[in-house]
Amino acid sequence: MSIIAAARRSPALRVLVARAKSVRPSSSIATPNFPCVDAHAARESRLIASFTAPTITTTSQDSSDTGPEPPYARPNPTSYHTYHHPHPLPLTYHPTPLPSFDIAYETWGSLSPKKDNVILIHTGLSASSHAASSPVNPAPGWWENFIGPGKAIDTNRFFVICTNVIGGCYGSTGPSSIEQATGKPWATRFPIISVFDMVNAQFSLLDHLGINKLYASVGSSMGAMQSLAAGYLHPQRVGKIVSISGTARSSPSAVAMRFAQRSVLMADPNWNNGFYYDRLPPHTGMKLARQIATITYRSGPEWDLRFGRQLRATSGTTPAKIPGPERTPALCPDFLIESYLDHQGESFCLKYDANSLIYISKAMDLFDMTLPALEALNLTIDDAEVPPTSSTSATQPHKTSHSKSHPPPTNPPPHLPELAAGMKRLSHIPTLVLGVQSDVLFTVEQQREVVDALRMAGNEHVSYYELGGVWGHDTFLIDVLNVGGAIRGFLS
């Protein structure tokens, strides 16, 4: 049966045939235009033209960026201190120690004569040691509103230290550093590292500075993992713990999100199995990885408030609420949310070393403080030096972390007793745990797990708060009133 004959029997087909007859000849259709693809090609051309050395390109914060994101940029080497540790650093997953290492750090405030006012700030995945401005570097830091005179972490009272983690690319030893044995960047010859390795490197710095005990170990996101790990590895050297939007055991969903980021990065041909330091960096993979990451850092309600379904502005036109005949939809970024993600990826893709992202995100995936996991890594340490918990704590009813509006689950996670056993060494350390109800990367359920495990382990000095708001995981960077207020009260 012919199409014409079929159309006589079908009203729907008659409409399609009529539309087909009205379509202009193909020769009159405009040539497709993909400005996002052109922008990628232009970036690669600029890199080729300017490529002279295997260094990470630094770009300034783009003024077109909107919203409350903190500044992320590579600090000037003259603005931070570098401690060189000449001795081998034993590693969790590698039989051969790291021969030596550098660790970049910055400080604020004054060290007391007894050296008992020290707060160690642990960073998230991609942050540098520049947590706050200083006379040496007046540029705003990534936690600028929380650190300083009279702020939540009061530098009139505390001596504050922040480091770039081992495995990073902002002054500390990582995959982009020169391997002494070869004279070339480590690249993916760099050993797999753990959060515990990062913390041990930080305590080597503390030893160098003559600091025996921290007043507090404070961290958010991956920094919260480090803060808990510090209490586990060095229970006698940590006075208080602050864990914000972190976890004591990476969840499958968070592992999946980070795996997707690494997958798109490693699929970039420029990645070259990690050996790209004498050629073009995998900038496209980095851009896509950052876009995926940004989605996990914020929340759907915030996207609704900030962007809705608005379209981006076009030259000489007013943004339309919906695509229509007056505005043909584009395959490149069309909605404001698309433009925002595109900008976030573009502004980050040349600021950070791709291998550092891979190594550090993998360390986050591997983090697990359940007793079987710690035993498998030979990290179970003699508890003889840990002060015993109160003799009455075992007979007291367990205090859950759940509120009336967030009751405990019917079936607690099966790994909770093992997590409590693994965190027994932290039972004497006062701990503050903050969670965010809109966080999709480190959910409030994971914060409750940390609190329940600590309390089951006998810790009667655990403070727990769940914060509202729409900022998702990045609340720890933005909500100065609530996050800062909780920290201030706990430290005092």
Side-chain angles (χ1 to χ4, degrees), residues 42-57:
R43 186 202 315 127
E44 183 138 329
S45 296
R46 290 195 302 271
L47 286 172
I48 293 173
S50 62
F51 190 78
T52 57
T55 56
I56 304 167
T57 303

Side-chain angles (χ1 to χ4, degrees), residues 305-327:
L305 291 172
R306 241 173 117 178
F307 304 109
R309 289 183 54 83
Q310 294 182 73
L311 301 178
R312 65 176 180 83
T314 56
S315 179
T317 64
T318 301
K321 292 184 178 179
I322 56 175
E326 297 180 358
R327 169 146 185 171

Side-chain angles (χ1 to χ4, degrees), residues 183-207:
K184 297 179 180 180
W186 279 92
T188 45
R189 289 191 302 268
F190 196 72
I192 297 294
I193 56 171
S194 72
V195 171
F196 298 105
D197 299 333
M198 298 174 187
V199 170
N200 279 329
Q202 291 171 326
F203 273 75
S204 295
L205 168 65
L206 296 179
D207 292 340

Side-chain angles (χ1 to χ4, degrees), residues 202-226:
Q202 291 171 326
F203 273 75
S204 295
L205 168 65
L206 296 179
D207 292 340
H208 168 70
L209 297 175
I211 296 168
N212 183 56
K213 185 173 182 177
L214 296 172
Y215 182 88
S217 171
V218 178
S220 306
S221 190
M222 185 185 76
M225 298 178 179
Q226 296 173 70

Side-chain angles (χ1 to χ4, degrees), residues 219-243:
S220 306
S221 190
M222 185 185 76
M225 298 178 179
Q226 296 173 70
S227 193
L228 293 171
Y232 178 83
L233 294 173
H234 306 280
Q236 290 285 58
R237 300 183 65 180
V238 177
K240 294 184 177 183
I241 291 174
V242 176
S243 171

Side-chain angles (χ1 to χ4, degrees), residues 57-360:
T57 303
T58 303
T59 56
S60 60
Q61 188 77 0
D62 194 314
S63 60
S64 66
D65 188 13
T66 60
E69 286 73 21
Y72 282 107
R74 184 177 179 83
N76 188 314
T78 61
S79 71
Y80 57 76
H81 307 286
T82 302
Y83 164 62
H84 176 70
H85 189 75
H87 309 295
L89 175 70
L91 300 174
T92 305
Y93 295 104
H94 203 269
T96 304
L98 195 64
S100 62
F101 66 88
D102 291 339
I103 188 164
Y105 68 100
E106 295 183 45
T107 66
W108 301 263
S110 299
L111 186 61
S112 64
K114 294 182 178 180
K115 298 185 178 182
D116 59 356
N117 68 332
V118 180
I119 292 180
L120 178 61
I121 304 294
H122 306 276
T123 73
L125 187 155
S126 57
S128 71
S129 59
H130 190 60
S133 57
S134 66
V136 177
N137 184 356
W142 58 267
W143 229 21
E144 182 71 21
N145 294 325
F146 295 84
I147 301 172
K151 296 181 180 179
I153 300 177
D154 190 350
T155 52
N156 287 331
R157 179 184 177 192
F158 298 112
F159 181 66
V160 181
I161 304 172
C162 182
T163 80
N164 179 223
V165 297
I166 292 295
C169 57
Y170 290 155
S172 294
T173 297
S176 60
S177 302
I178 299 300
E179 181 184 7
Q180 187 174 1
T182 65
K184 297 179 180 180
W186 279 92
T188 45
R189 289 191 302 268
F190 196 72
I192 297 294
I193 56 171
S194 72
V195 171
F196 298 105
D197 299 333
M198 298 174 187
V199 170
N200 279 329
Q202 291 171 326
F203 273 75
S204 295
L205 168 65
L206 296 179
D207 292 340
H208 168 70
L209 297 175
I211 296 168
N212 183 56
K213 185 173 182 177
L214 296 172
Y215 182 88
S217 171
V218 178
S220 306
S221 190
M222 185 185 76
M225 298 178 179
Q226 296 173 70
S227 193
L228 293 171
Y232 178 83
L233 294 173
H234 306 280
Q236 290 285 58
R237 300 183 65 180
V238 177
K240 294 184 177 183
I241 291 174
V242 176
S243 171
I244 308 170
S245 293
T247 185
R249 176 182 179 271
S250 281
S251 68
S253 62
V255 172
M257 293 172 188
R258 287 188 288 267
F259 170 75
Q261 297 171 47
R262 292 194 298 270
S263 294
V264 297
L265 199 167
M266 296 166 76
D268 187 327
N270 288 345
W271 183 62
N272 193 39
N273 291 333
F275 293 87
Y276 53 81
Y277 294 106
D278 59 349
R279 50 188 287 176
L280 292 181
H283 54 99
T284 300
M286 282 291 282
K287 177 176 179 177
L288 296 175
R290 186 62 173 184
Q291 289 178 352
I292 296 171
T294 301
I295 295 171
T296 71
Y297 296 156
R298 311 311 278 252
S299 76
E302 185 194 6
W303 300 143
D304 284 336
L305 291 172
R306 241 173 117 178
F307 304 109
R309 289 183 54 83
Q310 294 182 73
L311 301 178
R312 65 176 180 83
T314 56
S315 179
T317 64
T318 301
K321 292 184 178 179
I322 56 175
E326 297 180 358
R327 169 146 185 171
T328 303
L331 296 179
C332 282
D334 204 15
F335 290 96
L336 283 183
I337 181 60
E338 294 175 314
S339 297
Y340 169 75
L341 290 177
D342 183 73
H343 168 75
Q344 287 297 309
E346 188 70 31
S347 63
F348 182 80
C349 67
L350 295 174
K351 286 182 179 178
Y352 198 74
D353 180 53
N355 284 335
S356 283
L357 188 151
I358 291 172
Y359 275 79
I360 295 177

